[in-house]
């Protein structure tokens, strides 16, 4: 009988499976240590990088588990004829290394926020792996490697316990318990009422009053900030506010004193200073939920890490001094590789630990004295992470028009990009262009080679020819199929003779249909469409300043959080009522308040795009900001549905329908085909066609009016025409674009404050988003539902006027 797997292959597998898995595990650990710190700074669109990291994270646990199982299965058996007699001793030594690998690197403990909730499962895995490793170790006794194996076992347990502690501390329930602290017993109301009744019986003038929390003067808080904020002070302030506002993730409620203090501080900052503090805060949040940082930056964590490193060095020293007689040369070399690899990876982790923002924040406390030499040294090191702004030319423009973030990749604290998705462009299959070119020398070199060698044109022509050939072959198949079917009536003999050809054609062309159905079932076309039609551009200084000043202006209108709700809960209606324009804003309110939030984004996005394309002669700053924010909000709606679906005020079923409508936009596609602009690839022509094709409601019949109330495209056209009236009334389009841009900022702020806070935290390991910065910014200004009012902070006071005593409740 022929064996499916030859004996030689089985012998090779038996000899090299454990060794291959050990090497594979070490390679995966190296990938995770070197690449995982880049998660927080890598843009969302770099899906290949995330796929590599995802594969390495999952494969690392599998490889270590499987290798330990293989070692435990082969332990205790006599060595094969081609193996050295001391192979089992080395296998036991390797098993402890695998336990060390299961502890994972310091730079990644959880791939997603939900992984932290599975810390109990990981605890069970630790117990199982520890038992298996201990079993292998006991079977190897007596052994010359007993001491280094014991030391590595201790190091492995320490590393795994670190991971478990980090995951348990980052699990939302435990994190919330730590934020709450010890419970307060509250007021002794029985004693309070006894004193009150005693005062009444003794006929002493007694009264109950409400004692409000004293409001601090704004000038005092604002003057507390330094005139020139150094890099170290930025980290210190960020660490201070991180420890306060990290409770936002678990819906922690804040007192009026807390949010009022941060509000006064941030009102004294410039937009750039606020951005510097906010990005460090988000970096701290990332470290807490996705790494071991919070555990290692404690005396206990640092002490145990030193013990684990000492165990590695001691194991290396002992193994080096032992005689290697009886060991296979390759196995000895592999053991040295594991030891030196483990020490090297630990040193890299220690280096990352030493230069992290956590170290700077905990090393030096805020002080008012002059900077010391140590402070100047720390400021010099932190200077590498300073925000770098670069004047950049825009697409199809020669002059410098924007200042963009252009920091070296390795020094970034988040992705520093804002993303865009445009419905009109995706409907016309127009690939988005990069607005700002900030590529490095390598990317520019590749772009130059591709352009000079006409590789991009060659690929596009090849794809076009392939599509045309496929369509032509499909037409031939249809005609042949019709011809064979016609033979059923004309010539039965010929029909049956050609019937196998029909079956062959049906099978041959049916395979692509089956593949296409499977791809549709898995959602691959949607993902590819998102990748192709999603663009990214560095955050511009003008956009951030515009958002910051708008939020700051609204915070100044809030005296106490009692009247803050109409501001942070508005999604365009506050701006429409606040703008000083001689125009009936009620006509625009129906496109904001009378539709769901997700539908209002669709309507305003299409209207903004039509205005932008038909008003190309204008170079107003607000026009560019409106376009950027419009495309970004559509990106959040289409590409980040998990984030936007949690926004309060969105009907979940209607949201799913809106996403499908936005992705297809069949109404626009049919219109483009009817107006012969589907193949033009010209967004301006398409927008002009849409505006010209829809008449006002008054000119349509009843059926058309009923349809128009459901048509997003029609509503967008009517909104665009209403906005154009502002241009006519004001005799300038400046006011119109100012209104549109402020409406978009308000919609962004609404999404930021009403989105589930856990989704904000989940975005941090994907490079972070502008909406995360806005969420934290609004929290610092006290705009949100998690901030207690002054009335809720007040207490009752019992005043006995004659004796001048009081009891505070």
């Amino acid at each position: 009988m022929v064996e499916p797997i030859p004996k030689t292959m089985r012998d090779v597998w038996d000899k090299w499976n454990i060794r291959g898995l050990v090497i594979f595990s070490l390679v995966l650990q190296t990938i995770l240590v070197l690449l995982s710190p880049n998660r927080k700074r890598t843009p969302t669109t770099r899906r290949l990088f995330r796929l590599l990291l995802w594969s390495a994270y999952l494969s690392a646990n599998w490889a270590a588990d499987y290798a330990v199982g293989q070692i435990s299965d082969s332990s205790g058996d006599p060595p094969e004829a081609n193996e050295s007699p001391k192979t089992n001793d080395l296998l036991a030594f390797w098993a402890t290394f695998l336990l060390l690998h299961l502890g994972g690197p310091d730079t990644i403990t959880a791939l997603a926020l939900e992984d932290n909730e599975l810390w109990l499962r990981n605890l069970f895995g630790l117990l199982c792996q520890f038992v298996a490793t201990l079993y292998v170790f006991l079977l190897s006794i007596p052994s010359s490697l007993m001491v280094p194996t014991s030391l590595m076992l201790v190091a492995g347990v320490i590393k795994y316990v670190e991971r478990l502690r980090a995951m348990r501390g980052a699990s939302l329930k435990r994190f919330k318990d730590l934020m709450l602290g010890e419970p307060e017993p509250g007021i002794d109301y029985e004693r309070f009422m006894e004193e009150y009744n005693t005062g009444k019986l003794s006929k002493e003038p007694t009264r109950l009053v409400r004692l409000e929390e004293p409001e601090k003067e704004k000038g005092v808080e604002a003057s507390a900030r330094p005139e020139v904020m150094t890099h170290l002070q930025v980290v210190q302030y960020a660490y201070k506010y991180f420890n306060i506002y990290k409770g936002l993730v678990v819906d922690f409620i804040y007192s009026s004193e807390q949010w009022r203090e941060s509000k006064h501080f941030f009102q004294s900052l410039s937009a750039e200073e606020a951005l510097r503090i906010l990005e460090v805060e988000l970096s701290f949040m990332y470290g807490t939920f996705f790494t071991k940082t919070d555990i290692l930056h404690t005396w206990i964590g640092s002490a145990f890490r030193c013990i684990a490193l000492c165990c590695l060095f001691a194991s290396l020293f002992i193994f080096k001094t032992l005689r290697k007689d009886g060991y296979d040369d390759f196995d000895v070399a592999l053991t040295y590789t594991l030891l030196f690899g483990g020490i090297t990876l630990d040193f890299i982790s220690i280096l990352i630990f030493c230069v992290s923002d956590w170290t700077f924040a905990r090393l030096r406390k805020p002080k008012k004295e002059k900077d010391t030499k140590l402070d100047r040294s720390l400021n010099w090191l932190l200077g590498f992470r300073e925000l770098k702004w670069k004047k950049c030319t825009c697409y199809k423009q020669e002059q410098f028009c924007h200042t963009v973030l252009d920091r070296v990749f390795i020094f970034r604290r988040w992705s520093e990009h804002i993303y865009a998705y445009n419905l009109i462009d995706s409907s016309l299959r127009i690939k988005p262009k990069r607005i700002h070119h900030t590529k490095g020398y390598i990317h520019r070199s590749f772009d130059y080679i591709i352009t000079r060698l006409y590789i991009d044109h060659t690929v596009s022509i090849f794809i076009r020819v392939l599509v045309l050939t496929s369509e032509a072959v499909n037409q031939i198949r249809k005609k042949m199929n019709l011809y064979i079917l016609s033979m059923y009536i004309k010539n039965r003999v010929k029909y049956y003779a050609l019937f196998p050809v029909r079956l062959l054609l049906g099978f041959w062309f049916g395979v692509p249909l089956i593949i296409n159905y499977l791809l549709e079932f898995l959602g691959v076309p949607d993902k590819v469409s998102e990748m192709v039609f999603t663009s990214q551009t560095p955050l511009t200084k003008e956009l951030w300043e515009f958002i910051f000043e708008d939020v700051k202006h609204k915070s100044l209108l809030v005296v106490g959080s009692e009247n803050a709700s109409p501001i942070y809960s508005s999604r365009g209606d506050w701006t429409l009522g606040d703008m000083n324009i001689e125009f009936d804003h009620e006509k625009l309110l129906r496109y904001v308040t009378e539709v769901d939030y997700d539908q209002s984004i669709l309507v305003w996005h299409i209207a903004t795009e039509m205005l932008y394309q038909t008003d190309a002669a204008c170079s107003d700053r607000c026009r560019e900001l409106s376009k950027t924010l419009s495309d970004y909000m559509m990106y959040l709606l289409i590409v980040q549905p998990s984030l936007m679906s949690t926004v309060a005020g969105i009907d979940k079923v209607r949201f799913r329908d809106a996403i499908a409508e936005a992705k297809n936009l069949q109404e626009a596609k049919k219109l483009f085909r009817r107006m012969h602009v589907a193949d033009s690839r010209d967004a301006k022509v398409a927008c002009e066609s849409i505006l010209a094709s829809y008449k006002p409601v008054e000119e349509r019949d009843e059926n058309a009016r009923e349809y128009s109330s459901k048509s997003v495209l029609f509503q967008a056209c009517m909104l665009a025409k209403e906005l154009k009236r502002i241009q006519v009334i004001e005799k300038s389009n400046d006011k119109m674009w100012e209104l549109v841009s402020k409406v978009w900022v308000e919609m962004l702020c609404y999404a930021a404050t009403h989105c589930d806070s856990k989704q904000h935290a989940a975005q941090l390991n994907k490079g972070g988003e502008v909406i995360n910065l806005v969420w934290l910014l609004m929290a610092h200004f006290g705009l949100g539902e998690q901030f207690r009012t002054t009335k809720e902070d007040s207490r009752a006071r019992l005043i006995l006027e004659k004796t001048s005593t009081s009891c505070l409740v």
Side-chain angles (χ1 to χ4, degrees):
M1 182 178 178
V2 179
E3 296 181 351
I5 302 177
K7 185 177 184 304
T8 54
M9 291 186 64
R10 285 188 280 116
D11 291 340
V12 170
W13 172 256
D14 291 340
K15 178 175 176 58
W16 292 100
N17 62 344
I18 295 176
R19 294 162 180 82
L21 286 169
V22 170
I23 296 172
F24 184 53
S25 179
L26 180 62
V27 170
L28 292 175
Q29 291 298 312
T30 305
I31 292 174
L32 289 175
V33 169
L34 297 179
L35 296 185
S36 58
N38 296 324
R39 283 193 302 166
K40 67 177 182 180
R41 60 179 69 98
T42 303
T44 309
T45 52
R46 303 284 173 85
R47 289 178 172 82
L48 290 178
F49 170 81
R50 303 199 177 279
L51 178 62
L52 173 63
L53 208 58
W54 175 78
S55 304
Y57 179 82
L58 295 182
S59 301
N61 291 338
W62 168 83
D65 287 340
Y66 185 63
V68 170
Q70 289 290 308
I71 291 173
S72 63
D73 183 56
S74 61
S75 295
D77 298 337
E80 300 289 338
N82 57 347
E83 288 184 342
S84 62
K86 295 185 178 181
T87 300
N88 287 335
D89 296 348
L90 280 178
L91 290 180
F93 196 30
W94 293 350
T96 56
F97 275 101
L98 295 169
L99 186 64
L100 187 76
H101 292 171
L102 280 170
D106 302 340
T107 51
I108 177 171
T109 54
L111 194 66
L113 197 63
E114 294 78 11
D115 293 338
N116 293 319
E117 308 301 321
L118 304 177
W119 68 271
L120 277 174
R121 181 185 297 181
N122 282 271
L123 175 61
F124 180 74
L126 168 63
L127 296 176
C128 293
Q129 291 301 320
F130 178 75
V131 169
T133 306
L134 188 63
Y135 169 75
V136 173
F137 173 62
L138 293 176
L139 287 179
S140 67
I141 297 175
S143 167
S144 58
L145 296 176
M146 185 176 68
V147 175
T149 304
S150 304
L151 291 172
M152 288 305 303
L153 184 63
V154 172
V157 171
I158 289 175
K159 292 272 283 188
Y160 212 129
V161 170
E162 283 178 353
R163 182 180 182 180
L164 287 174
R165 284 191 62 201
M167 295 181 73
R168 179 173 179 263
S171 62
L172 296 179
K173 184 178 183 303
R174 175 64 178 171
F175 187 77
K176 189 171 186 177
D177 292 341
L178 293 175
M179 284 294 300
L180 292 174
E182 294 295 328
E184 295 183 4
I187 304 302
D188 189 353
Y189 285 99
E190 184 178 358
R191 172 177 166 270
F192 174 79
M193 293 308 299
E194 286 180 0
E195 292 192 14
Y196 179 73
N197 292 328
T198 302
K200 286 289 186 182
L201 292 174
S202 60
K203 297 183 179 181
E204 294 180 350
T206 308
R207 56 193 176 93
L208 269 172
V209 298
R210 181 190 295 272
L211 180 65
E212 303 288 346
E213 287 289 328
E215 293 197 18
K216 298 181 180 179
E217 294 295 330
K218 295 183 179 180
V220 175
E221 295 295 337
S223 62
R225 58 147 293 175
E227 293 183 6
V228 179
M229 196 170 294
T230 63
H231 305 306
L232 182 59
Q233 288 171 334
V234 166
V235 173
Q236 289 169 343
Y237 278 114
Y239 186 67
K240 169 189 173 182
Y241 288 115
F242 158 73
N243 285 314
I244 296 174
Y245 287 103
K246 63 184 180 182
L248 288 170
V249 179
V250 289
D251 301 324
F252 194 73
I253 303 298
Y254 291 90
S255 66
S256 58
E257 182 181 355
Q258 289 173 313
W259 64 259
R260 194 176 288 117
E261 191 273 335
S262 68
K263 172 185 173 181
H264 293 158
F265 177 76
F266 268 77
Q267 283 177 347
S268 67
L269 300 178
S270 65
E272 183 175 350
E273 289 173 335
L275 179 59
R276 291 167 65 191
I277 293 176
L278 292 175
E279 69 167 9
V280 179
E281 283 190 68
L282 291 180
S283 179
F284 285 144
M285 284 190 183
Y286 167 82
T288 299
F289 289 106
F290 300 104
T291 70
K292 296 180 182 177
T293 304
D294 207 13
I295 299 298
L296 295 178
H297 282 83
T298 59
W299 288 111
I300 296 176
S302 300
F304 276 101
R305 173 48 55 91
C306 291
I307 293 173
L309 189 59
C310 290
C311 289
L312 273 169
F313 274 110
S315 298
L316 174 62
F317 177 76
I318 295 172
F319 183 76
K320 187 177 182 303
T321 56
L322 289 175
R323 296 184 62 181
K324 309 301 187 299
D325 299 339
Y327 294 110
D328 186 78
D329 291 340
F330 179 84
D331 292 347
V332 172
L334 179 56
T335 306
Y336 274 120
T337 302
L338 290 172
L339 285 165
F340 281 111
I343 292 172
T344 303
L345 293 180
D346 259 20
F347 269 115
I348 293 173
S349 299
I350 290 172
L351 177 62
I352 296 173
F353 169 87
C354 292
V355 299
S356 67
D357 291 328
W358 289 80
T359 304
F360 293 105
R362 293 188 174 182
L363 188 63
R364 301 293 289 173
K365 301 298 181 183
K367 56 185 180 56
K368 296 182 180 180
E369 292 81 12
K370 291 183 178 181
D371 290 345
T372 62
K373 288 184 178 180
L374 178 60
D375 293 334
R376 287 193 290 271
S377 301
L378 297 179
N379 277 311
W380 178 79
L381 289 172
L382 287 169
F384 290 100
R385 299 177 189 168
E386 182 185 7
L387 290 177
K388 303 291 185 183
W389 299 99
K390 174 184 177 181
K391 286 189 176 181
C392 194
T393 55
C394 295
Y395 178 66
K396 290 185 177 180
Q397 294 187 25
E398 296 181 357
Q399 72 276 15
F400 292 107
C401 58
H402 287 126
T403 305
V404 301
L405 276 174
D406 190 30
R407 191 162 34 182
V408 178
F409 177 78
I410 199 169
F411 297 130
R412 295 176 185 173
R413 292 186 172 102
W414 63 295
S415 66
E416 299 184 358
H417 280 79
I418 185 169
Y419 306 94
Y421 188 95
N422 191 277
L423 281 183
I424 302 297
D425 288 351
S426 63
S427 300
L428 293 172
R429 315 303 293 177
I430 301 174
K431 189 175 180 180
K433 302 288 185 181
R434 289 178 65 93
I435 301 175
H436 306 109
H437 294 278
T438 57
K439 296 181 180 179
Y441 293 109
I442 298 177
H443 287 166
R444 290 177 185 175
S445 301
F446 275 110
D447 286 348
Y448 180 80
I449 294 171
I450 290 171
T451 305
R452 284 295 179 183
L453 297 180
Y454 299 100
I455 296 176
D456 52 343
H457 295 291
T458 305
V459 171
S460 61
I461 291 172
F462 175 76
I463 293 174
R464 185 65 178 168
V465 169
L466 195 65
V467 171
L468 292 175
T469 304
S470 176
E471 292 177 354
V473 171
N474 196 35
Q475 290 295 327
I476 294 172
R477 181 191 67 84
K478 289 181 179 179
K479 289 181 179 180
M480 289 184 65
N481 193 38
L482 289 174
Y483 174 76
I484 295 172
L485 285 175
S486 65
M487 288 297 102
Y488 183 80
I489 300 175
K490 297 178 181 179
N491 191 339
R492 293 287 181 92
V493 177
K494 196 172 184 180
Y495 170 79
Y496 287 117
L498 295 174
F499 188 76
V501 177
R502 185 189 176 198
L503 291 178
L504 180 63
L505 290 174
F507 173 77
W508 183 260
F509 288 93
V511 171
L513 294 177
I514 295 173
I515 296 175
N516 187 56
Y517 173 78
L518 291 176
L519 293 177
E520 289 279 355
F521 177 76
L522 297 173
V524 174
D526 286 342
K527 291 296 181 183
V528 172
S529 177
E530 291 173 6
M531 292 172 61
V532 172
F533 298 109
T534 298
S535 61
Q536 64 183 48
T537 184
L539 178 66
T540 64
K541 192 174 186 178
E542 294 81 4
L543 176 62
W544 174 251
E545 288 177 347
F546 185 75
I547 294 173
F548 177 80
E549 293 299 332
D550 189 77
V551 176
K552 180 179 177 180
H553 169 70
K554 289 178 180 176
S555 71
L556 293 172
L557 303 176
V558 179
V559 178
S561 61
E562 292 90 345
N563 63 341
S565 179
I567 293 179
Y568 68 76
S569 296
S570 60
R571 44 191 177 97
D573 43 318
W574 179 275
T575 295
L576 294 176
D578 190 51
M579 287 290 291
N580 187 19
I581 300 176
E582 295 180 3
F583 182 77
D584 186 9
H585 67 278
E586 294 291 337
K587 294 181 179 180
L588 299 176
L589 275 176
R590 63 187 180 194
Y591 300 105
V592 175
T593 58
E594 295 181 9
V595 293
D596 292 335
Y597 176 65
D598 50 346
Q599 189 174 3
S600 68
I601 292 177
L602 290 173
V603 171
W604 279 84
H605 169 76
I606 299 173
T608 303
E609 182 64 18
M610 288 189 290
L611 291 173
Y612 181 84
Q613 294 294 341
T614 56
D615 194 19
C618 174
S619 59
D620 185 72
R621 182 183 71 123
C622 290
R623 174 176 175 267
E624 299 296 331
L625 297 177
S626 301
K627 164 72 172 174
T628 304
L629 289 170
S630 171
D631 289 352
Y632 178 62
M633 291 301 295
M634 187 50 55
Y635 157 81
L636 292 176
L637 196 67
I638 298 293
V639 185
Q640 300 287 359
S642 60
L643 180 69
M644 293 296 286
S645 64
T646 59
V647 175
I650 288 184
D651 183 356
K652 300 301 183 289
V653 178
R654 178 68 185 87
F655 176 76
R656 188 176 59 183
D657 297 339
I659 293 297
E661 181 181 7
K663 287 182 177 179
N664 295 322
L665 207 62
Q666 293 294 336
E667 187 181 358
K669 292 178 181 178
K670 292 177 182 177
L671 177 64
F672 294 156
R673 287 194 293 268
R674 190 172 69 249
M675 302 293 289
H676 306 290
V677 296
D679 298 325
S680 66
R681 302 293 178 93
D682 192 333
K684 182 178 179 181
V685 175
C687 291
E688 290 174 348
S689 302
I690 296 174
L691 282 172
S693 63
Y694 287 99
K695 299 178 181 179
V697 181
E698 293 79 6
E699 301 178 17
R700 302 165 71 93
D701 55 23
E702 289 298 325
N703 293 331
R705 291 181 189 180
E706 183 179 355
Y707 168 76
S708 66
S709 63
K710 301 177 182 179
S711 169
V712 172
L713 208 59
F714 176 81
Q715 290 179 347
C717 287
M718 294 303 102
L719 173 59
K721 291 179 179 180
E722 291 291 346
L723 291 169
K724 278 182 173 290
R725 292 182 185 177
I726 300 176
Q727 182 178 350
V728 175
I729 294 172
E730 296 290 330
K731 297 180 181 180
S732 171
N733 52 14
D734 294 347
K735 283 289 184 181
M736 179 192 73
W737 284 116
E738 182 184 356
L739 182 142
V740 173
S741 59
K742 288 190 175 183
V743 167
W744 278 118
V745 171
E746 206 162 283
M747 285 189 177
L748 175 62
C749 293
Y750 180 87
T753 54
H754 290 78
C755 170
D756 187 359
S757 53
K758 291 184 283 295
Q759 290 297 327
H760 282 294
Q763 290 296 319
L764 298 181
N765 74 326
K766 301 175 184 177
E769 297 277 358
V770 173
I771 192 173
N772 306 139
L773 293 168
V774 176
W775 164 66
L776 205 54
L777 176 66
M778 296 190 70
H780 283 297
F781 280 122
L783 299 175
E785 296 180 345
Q786 294 171 252
F787 301 97
R788 192 182 296 161
T789 65
T790 306
K791 186 178 294 184
E792 292 170 328
D793 280 340
S794 61
R795 295 182 175 184
R797 170 170 284 179
L798 175 66
I799 298 180
L800 305 176
E801 293 183 348
K802 284 187 178 181
T803 58
S804 299
T805 59
S806 63
C807 176
L808 183 63
V809 182

